[in-house]
Amino acid sequence: MSVTDIPPSGPAPWSVSRDLPPYRGILAVDAKDFTGRPAVEHVTIAAAIPQLLRQTLERAGLGELWKDQRFANHTGDGFVFGFDPTALPRVIHPFLNELQELLTDYNIHATATGPLRLRVSLHVGPLPDSGDPGDGNGTPRNDTHRLLDSKPVKAILASSGNITQVAAIVSQRVFEDAVLSGYTRLHPDRFIEVPATVEGKNFQQRAWLHVPAPSGSLYDRRILGEDTPPDDAQPSTGEAPTPPAQQPAAPTTRYDRSFISHSENVHGGQNINNYDGPGPRDGGAGR
């Protein structure tokens, strides 16, 4: 290819003012432990993921999003596509609940591949979408994948019990625009604030976790990496330490009753004891 065959790149950043690309919602999913599965399962799982997304969108009344998907891409162990951001509140709810329910049904019969559990990330931002090659490339798309690979959402799904099929992470922008605004049915208290980081990547953003069906030990505050003092740790008071004979007995548990305890980096909570499961097919999500 000669230099003359390379399409012009356009003006350099910060050299001229220009219109922003259209805003697009970005939905990405990834299968848990895909690379650890037998190779014979990979083709079946890779084919099942987009079909599950299509069926879930239809069940959630969002079938048009699948038909009108933008810059869709199969990632092997997942799938990503752009969509009209006005649908973000409904992609949060009821889509996430419907995905949890559909995967529950799918896993009952998944004898050929074993259970399939998915991480989901949601973001929004300006991305090229003109029908040309390179559509969908940009920082919002990159950040969507970083959120999907971040430590908190991986840890949450890995620590959950068998009934949890979906763990979702949404960007701060999505949380503000669709959740705090009241446009989605899920209350902000159903989300947990986390610092999203990716090992080996220069990435850290504020984000929010949501698990449609919490299970297992998700109320253990150590799941997201919060340090827990040793049993014999004593607060520093400047006084001589209490003799061992007078020390109080070590606590019998370190668990809080909330989904994950509050800390300066983790806020909000989902209470397992009060969780009453997804609501009716009309989009209910319990409390």
Side-chain angles (χ1 to χ4, degrees):
M1 176 183 290
S2 67
V3 174
T4 57
D5 294 328
I6 300 175
S9 60
W14 305 291
S15 61
V16 299
S17 296
R18 67 200 95 178
D19 292 341
L20 278 172
Y23 276 71
R24 292 289 178 260
I26 312 110
L27 170 68
V29 302
D30 204 356
K32 179 182 181 293
D33 297 333
F34 181 82
T35 56
R37 291 175 178 263
V40 70
E41 296 182 358
H42 288 190
V43 173
T44 303
I45 293 173
I49 289 174
Q51 296 303 316
L52 287 165
L53 289 178
R54 177 186 61 80
Q55 292 179 41
T56 304
L57 288 168
E58 291 173 351
R59 287 172 57 156
L62 296 168
E64 290 301 316
L65 290 192
W66 185 257
K67 296 177 183 177
D68 297 335
Q69 60 184 266
R70 313 301 300 175
F71 43 83
N73 184 37
H74 204 304
T75 60
D77 58 350
F79 198 84
V80 60
F81 68 93
F83 60 91
D84 182 349
T86 59
L88 271 170
R90 291 184 291 146
V91 174
I92 294 173
H93 183 277
F95 172 80
L96 293 176
N97 271 25
E98 293 291 353
L99 184 59
Q100 162 70 31
E101 293 299 310
L102 188 61
L103 280 171
T104 298
D105 295 340
Y106 173 86
N107 287 336
I108 293 173
H109 306 287
T111 55
T113 62
L116 179 59
R117 306 169 77 196
L118 296 178
R119 301 190 308 276
V120 179
S121 66
L122 276 172
H123 193 24
V124 64
L127 288 171
D129 187 15
S130 60
D132 296 329
D135 275 0
N137 290 322
T139 300
R141 171 79 168 270
N142 294 339
D143 289 350
T144 303
H145 290 286
R146 295 288 184 261
L147 289 170
L148 193 63
D149 292 334
S150 65
K151 292 181 180 180
V153 70
K154 284 188 172 183
I156 276 291
L157 194 56
S159 301
S160 62
N162 291 332
I163 70 169
T164 299
Q165 317 300 343
V166 174
I169 185 166
V170 303
S171 67
Q172 175 68 19
R173 176 99 190 235
V174 170
F175 184 76
E176 291 178 356
D177 290 353
V179 181
L180 284 181
S181 63
Y183 281 101
T184 190
R185 184 168 177 177
L186 289 184
H187 190 276
D189 286 350
R190 299 288 301 277
F191 294 79
I192 303 161
E193 183 186 358
V194 293
T197 60
V198 180
E199 187 174 357
K201 302 291 184 180
N202 183 21
F203 176 83
Q204 180 168 351
Q205 287 189 5
R206 186 184 188 190
W208 298 81
L209 289 178
H210 172 66
V211 180
S215 64
S217 59
L218 294 190
Y219 51 86
D220 185 340
R221 67 180 180 266
R222 294 167 293 184
I223 288 174
L224 299 182
E226 182 181 346
D227 293 332
T228 304
D231 292 346
D232 58 354
Q234 295 290 323
S236 177
T237 62
E239 301 177 356
T242 304
Q246 300 178 21
Q247 289 182 351
T252 58
T253 180
R254 297 176 184 171
Y255 301 124
D256 289 343
R257 300 307 301 171
S258 60
F259 175 45
I260 294 181
S261 73
H262 303 268
S263 73
E264 61 180 359
N265 289 325
V266 181
H267 306 289
Q270 296 183 356
N271 192 308
I272 290 179
N273 295 322
N274 292 333
Y275 180 77
D276 53 10
R281 183 61 61 197
D282 65 359
R287 282 183 284 273

